[in-house]
Amino acid sequence: MSQDRQAILYGLGAVALWSTVATAFKVGLGWMSPLELMWIAVLVSWLLMGGLVIRQGAMKQALNHGWKTALWAGVMNPAAYYLVLFAAYDRLPGQEAMALNYTWALAMAFLAVPLLGQRLTRFDVIAGLVAYAGVWVIATRGAVLNVSFADPLGVLLALSSTLLWAFYWLLNARDTRQPLVGQWQNFTVGLPILTVLLLIGPGFQWHSWTAFGAGVYVGLFEMGIAFVLWQMAVQRVSRTAKVSNLIFLSPPVSLMLLHFVVGEPILSSTFVGLILILSGLGLQQFQSAFAWPKP
């Protein structure tokens, strides 16, 4: 099997797992608070990543190097990002939180202007206008001429999560740590923060095996195995666009699972807004895939 074919299979595996997590979020949040769900997920992911680091023989490196970066990176991800994201899922229908969260790539393009000194192209501007028109459709639930959002705080939290995620990856542009080692270090920093917040907040409570299973699932797959599969795909593929475009398969599958497993009716506003968001992302991908080389 060629390396590109292997990469695509790994990428499809990651996308398949990511397509299920919106449903897992809503199932878990139906039983417990965002902080409780997050603590279980981060603990499970930290244990998984630690085991993989040991298996790779990289634990000595992980213990001795990279902690200066991990101190701020771990506060952003997992602590801040997932707290905001789970809070958004707790307030909004899963389909809306999921769709709004997909604008992080566009947020990254716009934030790269002041942070990295990059320039916006005409494609970036058009893609942003199209995608954020979709955000407006979803946020107003189709009442596009009405400035009264159905859940303003939920929408604000969902969009804030995209900014946090974009900031995180932009600031990590110069991170020289091995990805798996860096992820484990970040979670090593984030887990104690979440533990303190949990102790002074809702505390440790047992809800049900369903709730616990949802937390374990999120930790294993959304934060853990999917990350490893995606890393393997990116490392093996000859051209990044071959696997990056696979992410467009995730939202439709997520909508179907939310409908059939959680029982969410698919709102027409979500469907239209998601098409606009994916169209904006598609324009951005089109630009990078077909840009002419500079002379």
Side-chain angles (χ1 to χ4, degrees):
M1 185 181 296
S2 69
Q3 284 209 340
D4 272 2
R5 184 172 294 183
Q6 286 182 351
I8 289 172
L9 289 176
Y10 288 135
L12 285 171
V15 168
L17 294 177
W18 279 328
S19 299
T20 66
V21 294
T23 298
F25 289 168
K26 293 303 290 185
V27 170
L29 291 169
W31 291 88
M32 52 186 164
S33 69
L35 188 54
E36 291 174 291
L37 175 61
M38 185 177 170
W39 186 84
I40 295 172
V42 169
L43 174 62
V44 169
S45 185
W46 177 74
L47 291 171
L48 172 66
M49 293 290 178
L52 292 174
V53 169
I54 292 172
R55 183 179 178 184
Q56 288 187 354
M59 183 55 74
K60 183 177 180 180
Q61 173 194 348
L63 292 174
N64 294 322
H65 305 284
W67 291 101
K68 186 176 180 180
T69 300
L71 285 174
W72 64 262
V75 172
M76 292 188 71
N77 173 40
Y81 170 68
Y82 280 106
L83 275 177
V84 173
L85 180 64
F86 282 18
Y89 268 94
D90 197 37
R91 298 187 64 91
L92 295 174
Q95 59 191 283
E96 294 184 2
M98 179 270 298
L100 294 175
N101 186 249
Y102 264 82
T103 61
W104 70 267
L106 289 158
M108 183 182 293
F110 286 105
L111 288 171
V113 175
L115 291 180
L116 301 181
Q118 297 180 4
R119 284 185 166 186
L120 287 177
T121 66
R122 188 176 302 174
F123 269 104
D124 289 326
V125 175
I126 295 172
L129 291 173
V130 171
Y132 285 110
V135 170
W136 185 263
V137 171
I138 293 171
T140 59
R141 294 188 181 171
V144 293
L145 299 180
N146 183 3
V147 295
S148 177
F149 297 158
D151 192 326
L153 181 56
V155 171
L156 178 63
L157 288 167
L159 293 177
S160 296
S161 74
T162 69
L163 293 176
L164 282 168
W165 195 240
F167 265 122
Y168 172 76
W169 284 109
L170 287 172
L171 293 173
N172 267 275
R174 297 179 179 87
D175 188 355
T176 58
R177 297 177 298 167
Q178 180 187 343
L180 190 60
V181 168
Q183 185 85 336
W184 179 78
Q185 288 178 331
N186 293 352
F187 278 52
T188 303
V189 170
L191 185 59
I193 296 172
L194 295 173
T195 303
V196 171
L197 291 175
L198 187 64
L199 288 172
I200 64 177
F204 294 91
Q205 300 179 49
W206 176 259
H207 296 278
S208 71
W209 283 109
T210 301
F212 180 74
V216 171
Y217 186 92
V218 171
L220 280 178
F221 297 110
E222 203 277 343
M223 299 178 184
I225 295 173
F227 171 84
V228 175
L229 288 174
W230 191 257
Q231 178 189 346
M232 292 169 68
V234 171
Q235 287 176 340
R236 282 168 171 76
V237 76
S238 60
R239 190 163 58 90
T240 305
K242 287 185 177 182
V243 293
S244 63
N245 289 334
L246 295 175
I247 202 67
F248 290 93
L249 299 173
S250 183
V253 178
S254 293
L255 284 181
M256 293 299 102
L257 290 173
L258 285 166
H259 176 66
F260 289 110
V261 178
V262 180
E264 282 191 9
I266 300 176
L267 304 175
S268 58
S269 57
T270 300
F271 187 71
V272 172
L274 186 56
I275 289 175
L276 288 170
I277 290 171
L278 293 178
S279 297
L281 293 173
L283 283 171
Q284 195 181 46
Q285 289 284 326
F286 177 88
Q287 170 188 225
S288 60
F290 295 96
W292 291 98
K294 293 183 179 180

